[in-house]
């Protein structure tokens, strides 16, 4: 009896070993899919990630897989792209190579997709020699099904700290590229480095070199390339030319890809970035490279930023949700979504409170009545010094154009409150701008901020008060002519001319009201509002609602 029991136990043990039989896949096995930049090393004995956020995928059954690595590292592992399955694993060197890193998998007889993701730190790279599967009875996804990996389009994100999610709780995994890819169900590749410049410089090579490393080993070309650069570059006079050259180099590598150049959220090198895209559109006739203004997506403040250069978890999430419709449109070969009409305003007018969260004050509003009068209620610290906070009612303007209004009235508590008309490069709080308006302290005034976050300069003032007519005209991209006239009169008088005041080709023009005191509102009425020139046109794209739901319904 005991002898038969021993034989039975031996057979059971052998059967269990068979069920968990090891199957080793070399790194180049077709069952393993790689995303991001990778390159073979050590005489092709292993493959190494060369960009933060690079990851591999394999489809298997449980209960685990083992990664055989040629160097220590720390990685994220995720099962079936489920957020709650995310785990951080450390591969520690104990004097023996290769290092074995065990990745547990649910032992539920179901097929699972395992993602192994490199960290945002370039030192935590993955150097993979092979994968060990406990496959048993054909528990490995067959070679014919490996094409599952390439059914999802690949979006490539090029950038710096924001693209890596630095400043968030889980870095790469809480970055906007990872979040928007989850929304859209795509794969992603993050070619980004902390503090990355576009241009090569003395301290390090820039993205103009880094991006193209490892291109020869790419097996899945990107459907879309998203570029977010400029925050850390310092050679601003050369930036437009360098970015244009960089974009053309991308085009030579990926002739079919759509390229989106995103503005920096706070408008750093906005003009230079837009100019590079305009050059390629106009001079190279490449209409599949786009400039997207993101300066009103995530307004600055502790709710969404950890510091001026880093979005936090909430900021990254907002950014991802607003980017999603633009990417979805191009994945579907459709035009970008139109700006959602404001039901309280005529035509293409939009409105928002410009400013960071500590400066905006009370929420502003606007109405438009049957007499065709705009009434604006605006709070905020005003349009002074290096940053602004006010209520803005606006439209896009491309190149030449003008706005005329009659300021019928302006009610204010503070002498520094203002109401008038403005041309503004972008929608963040430090934008270059020209404003012609009224204040109790100055009467009619003209002010100008020449560069992002520069001091605002008072150009001219005169003791007059509403009602009065105002006209602001841009000629080219550098000349602004201001005129004034009594109400109901066409006898325009030149108030002042600003020369050599460069702005981007595509900007914003509109009506402004600010109380100069975040605890109260100022009210102004505008009539006879007239826009001329390149109104509503231009090569840029934007979405002015900073509180857009998960997927924008246009």
């Amino acid at each position: 009896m005991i002898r038969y029991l021993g034989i039975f136990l031996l057979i059971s043990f052998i059967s269990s070993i068979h069920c968990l039989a090891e199957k080793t896949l070399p790194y180049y096995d077709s069952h393993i899919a790689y995303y991001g930049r990778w390159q073979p090393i050590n005489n092709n004995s292993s493959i190494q990630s060369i960009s933060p956020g690079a990851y591999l995928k394999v489809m298997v059954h449980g209960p685990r897989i083992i990664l055989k690595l040629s160097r220590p590292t720390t990685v994220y592992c995720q099962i079936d792209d489920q957020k709650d399955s995310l785990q951080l694993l450390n591969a520690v060197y104990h004097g023996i190579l290769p290092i074995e890193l065990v990745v547990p998998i649910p032992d539920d007889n179901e097929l699972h997709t395992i993602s192994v993701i490199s960290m945002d730190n370039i030192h935590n790279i993955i150097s993979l020699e092979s994968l060990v599967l406990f496959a048993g009875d054909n528990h490995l996804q067959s070679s014919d099904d490996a094409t599952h990996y390439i059914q999802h389009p690949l979006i490539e994100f090029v950038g710096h700290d924001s693209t890596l999610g630095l400043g968030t709780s889980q870095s790469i995994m809480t970055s906007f590229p990872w979040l928007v890819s989850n929304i859209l169900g795509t794969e992603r590749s993050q070619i980004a480095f902390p503090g990355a410049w576009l241009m090569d410089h003395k301290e390090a090579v820039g993205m103009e070199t880094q991006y193209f490393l490892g291109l020869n080993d790419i097996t899945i070309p990107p459907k879309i390339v998203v570029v977010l650069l400029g925050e850390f570059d310092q050679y601003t006079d050369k930036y437009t030319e360098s970015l244009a050259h960089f974009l053309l180099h991308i085009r030579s590598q990926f002739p079919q890809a759509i390229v989106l150049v995103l503005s920096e959220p706070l408008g750093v090198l906005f003009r230079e970035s837009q100019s590079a895209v305009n050059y390629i559109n106009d001079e190279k006739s490449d209409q599949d490279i786009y400039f997207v203004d993101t300066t009103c997506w995530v307004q600055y403040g502790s709710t969404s930023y950890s510091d001026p250069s880093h979005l936090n978890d909430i900021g990254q999430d907002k950014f991802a949700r607003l980017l999603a419709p633009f990417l979805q449109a191009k994945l579907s070969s459709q035009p970008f979504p139109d700006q959602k009409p404001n039901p309280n305003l005529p035509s293409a007018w939009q409105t928002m409170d410009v400013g960071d969260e500590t400066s905006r004050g009370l929420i502003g509003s606007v109405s438009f009545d049957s007499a065709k009068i705009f009434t604006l209620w605006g709070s905020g610290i005003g349009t002074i010094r290096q940053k602004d906070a006010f209520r803005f009612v606006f439209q896009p303007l491309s190149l030449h154009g003008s706005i005329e209004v009659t300021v019928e009235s302006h009610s204010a508590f503070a002498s520094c409150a203002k109401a008038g008309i403005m041309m503004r490069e972008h929608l963040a709080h430090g934008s270059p701008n020209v404003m012609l308006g009224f204040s109790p302290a100055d009467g009619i005034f003209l002010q100008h901020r020449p560069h992002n976050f520069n001091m605002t300069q008072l150009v001219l003032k005169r003791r007059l008060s509403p009602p009065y007519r105002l006209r602001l005209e841009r000629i080219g991209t550098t000349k602004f002519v201001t005129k004034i006239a009594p109400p109901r009169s066409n006898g325009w008088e030149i108030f002042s001319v600003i020369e050599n005041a460069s702005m981007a080709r595509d900007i914003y023009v509109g009506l402004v009201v600010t109380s100069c005191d975040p605890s109260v509102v100022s009210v102004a009425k505008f009539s006879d509002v007239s826009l001329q020139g390149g109104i509503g046109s231009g090569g840029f794209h934007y979405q002015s609602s900073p509180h857009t739901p998960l997927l924008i319904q246009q």
Side-chain angles (χ1 to χ4, degrees):
M1 182 69 178
I2 294 176
R3 190 178 79 178
Y4 289 119
L5 178 60
I7 294 172
F8 174 77
L9 292 174
L10 179 61
I11 293 172
S12 299
F13 176 72
I14 294 172
S15 298
S16 67
I17 291 177
H18 172 73
C19 291
L20 293 177
E22 293 185 4
K23 180 179 180 65
T24 299
L25 302 182
Y27 75 84
Y28 50 80
D29 190 280
S30 62
H31 294 95
I32 308 172
Y34 296 94
Y35 300 94
R37 295 283 194 273
W38 297 78
Q39 65 181 9
I41 60 170
N42 299 332
N43 295 320
N44 293 324
S45 63
S46 59
I47 192 169
Q48 178 173 285
S49 62
I50 59 173
S51 64
Y55 62 104
L56 62 89
K57 281 190 170 184
V58 62
M59 299 178 67
V60 296
H61 290 78
R64 62 187 178 276
I65 62 173
I66 295 177
L67 279 66
K68 292 196 173 184
L69 306 168
S70 59
R71 59 175 291 170
T73 190
T74 300
V75 297
Y76 283 114
C77 289
Q78 193 169 40
I79 300 171
D80 299 327
D81 294 324
Q82 297 299 311
K83 184 177 180 180
D84 58 3
S85 72
L86 188 67
Q87 51 188 321
L88 191 64
L89 301 177
N90 292 306
V92 181
Y93 178 62
H94 294 293
I96 300 176
L97 290 176
I99 301 168
E100 294 191 353
L101 181 64
V102 178
V103 180
I105 303 169
D107 194 9
D108 53 10
N109 205 37
E110 297 291 332
L111 188 66
H112 295 287
T113 300
I114 311 304
S115 302
V116 181
I117 307 136
S118 64
M119 300 278 287
D120 53 52
N121 190 328
I122 192 61
H123 300 294
N124 284 320
I125 61 179
I126 301 172
S127 296
L128 179 70
E129 294 183 4
S130 61
L131 285 176
V132 179
L133 306 166
F134 294 86
D137 300 324
N138 195 30
H139 279 187
L140 178 68
Q141 184 76 342
S142 69
S143 297
D144 293 338
D145 292 327
T147 55
H148 166 87
Y149 297 120
I150 62 173
Q151 291 174 359
H152 299 297
L154 174 66
I155 303 176
E156 195 161 73
F157 297 87
V158 185
H160 45 60
D161 298 31
S162 294
T163 305
L164 293 172
L166 299 185
T168 66
S169 60
Q170 295 177 322
S171 58
I172 286 285
M173 307 305 296
T174 40
S175 65
F176 79 85
W178 204 271
L179 298 172
V180 76
S181 298
N182 288 340
I183 292 171
L184 300 175
T186 64
E187 304 294 350
R188 84 288 295 166
S189 171
Q190 287 154 280
I191 314 302
F193 300 91
W197 291 32
L198 166 66
M199 292 177 280
D200 295 340
H201 54 103
K202 292 181 180 179
E203 289 76 20
V205 296
M207 200 56 71
E208 62 185 0
T209 296
Q210 287 276 11
Y211 175 81
F212 300 99
L213 300 177
L215 275 182
N216 294 336
D217 299 299
I218 286 182
T219 57
I220 303 173
K223 173 80 172 179
I224 302 175
V225 179
V226 179
V227 178
L228 177 60
L229 288 168
E231 176 70 32
F232 300 100
D233 279 85
Q234 297 179 16
Y235 303 139
T236 57
D237 57 328
K238 300 178 181 178
Y239 190 83
T240 295
E241 181 181 355
S242 296
L243 180 58
H245 183 266
F246 176 67
L247 296 173
L248 291 171
H249 197 177
I250 291 177
R251 170 60 70 233
S252 70
Q253 297 293 323
F254 303 116
Q256 304 304 317
I258 300 294
V259 181
L260 271 60
V261 177
L262 308 183
S263 76
E264 290 285 358
L266 298 184
V268 176
L269 295 180
F270 184 97
R271 182 184 320 164
E272 293 81 0
S273 299
Q274 188 193 107
S275 296
V277 175
N278 291 342
Y279 167 77
I280 292 174
N281 294 161
D282 299 341
E283 301 299 326
K284 301 299 181 180
S285 301
D286 188 338
Q287 305 306 313
D288 287 327
I289 297 180
Y290 301 88
F291 179 75
V292 178
D293 180 5
T294 73
T295 56
C296 65
W297 289 9
V298 188
Q299 290 176 302
Y300 183 68
S302 60
T303 299
S304 301
Y305 286 79
S306 55
D307 62 57
S309 299
H310 297 94
L311 297 168
N312 61 21
D313 288 35
I314 292 173
Q316 291 276 351
D317 181 72
K318 288 180 180 179
F319 201 88
R321 292 168 189 251
L322 283 161
L323 178 58
F326 291 90
L327 298 178
Q328 182 62 68
K330 292 309 167 185
L331 290 172
S332 305
S333 301
Q334 297 296 319
F336 283 138
D338 292 330
Q339 180 69 22
K340 189 175 182 179
N342 188 309
N344 298 320
L345 294 172
S347 187
W349 289 97
Q350 296 292 326
T351 186
M352 67 178 290
D353 286 319
V354 172
D356 65 48
E357 65 182 42
T358 62
S359 303
R360 291 195 303 270
L362 301 177
I363 297 174
S365 62
V366 59
S367 68
F368 182 76
D369 60 27
S370 58
K372 298 184 179 180
I373 292 177
F374 290 86
T375 302
L376 275 68
W377 292 260
S379 186
I381 62 169
T383 57
I384 56 174
R385 300 186 181 92
Q386 294 149 307
K387 63 180 185 178
D388 307 322
F390 59 89
R391 190 67 179 182
F392 196 29
V393 178
F394 62 92
Q395 291 194 40
L397 168 67
S398 185
L399 204 58
H400 312 291
S402 66
I403 179 171
E404 294 178 11
V405 304
T406 298
V407 181
E408 297 286 355
S409 64
H410 179 214
S411 301
F413 291 96
S415 62
C416 56
K418 297 175 182 177
I421 52 180
M422 177 182 286
M423 291 185 180
R424 186 174 189 84
E425 187 167 85
H426 58 73
L427 297 172
H429 59 287
S431 172
N433 68 78
V434 172
M435 180 180 178
L436 177 65
F438 285 95
S439 77
D442 296 327
I444 286 184
F445 68 88
L446 174 64
Q447 66 181 38
H448 172 223
R449 180 184 295 129
H451 301 288
N452 213 42
F453 290 108
N454 274 199
M455 290 293 291
T456 299
Q457 304 167 3
L458 178 64
V459 178
L460 184 66
K461 63 181 180 179
R462 184 188 298 181
R463 181 52 61 185
L464 292 168
S465 59
Y468 226 83
R469 300 194 71 191
L470 306 178
R471 175 181 170 88
L472 173 59
E473 180 181 10
R474 181 168 82 155
I475 301 172
T477 61
T478 62
K479 184 176 182 179
F480 293 83
V481 178
T482 59
K483 297 180 181 180
I484 59 175
R488 321 303 172 217
S489 168
N490 288 319
W492 290 103
E493 168 195 351
I494 293 180
F495 185 64
S496 185
V497 177
I498 301 177
E499 302 272 9
N500 302 316
S502 294
M503 285 194 201
R505 186 190 73 182
D506 302 322
I507 60 172
Y508 300 93
V509 58
L511 315 175
V512 172
V513 171
T514 176
S515 65
C516 193
D517 179 349
S519 66
V520 299
V521 296
S522 179
V523 184
K525 293 183 179 292
F526 300 84
S527 66
D528 306 317
V529 178
S530 173
L531 300 175
Q532 296 178 336
I535 302 300
S537 62
F540 67 171
H541 306 272
Y542 71 103
Q543 171 54 254
S544 67
S545 172
H547 305 296
T548 304
L550 182 62
L551 288 178
I552 301 173
Q553 302 298 318
Q554 296 291 347

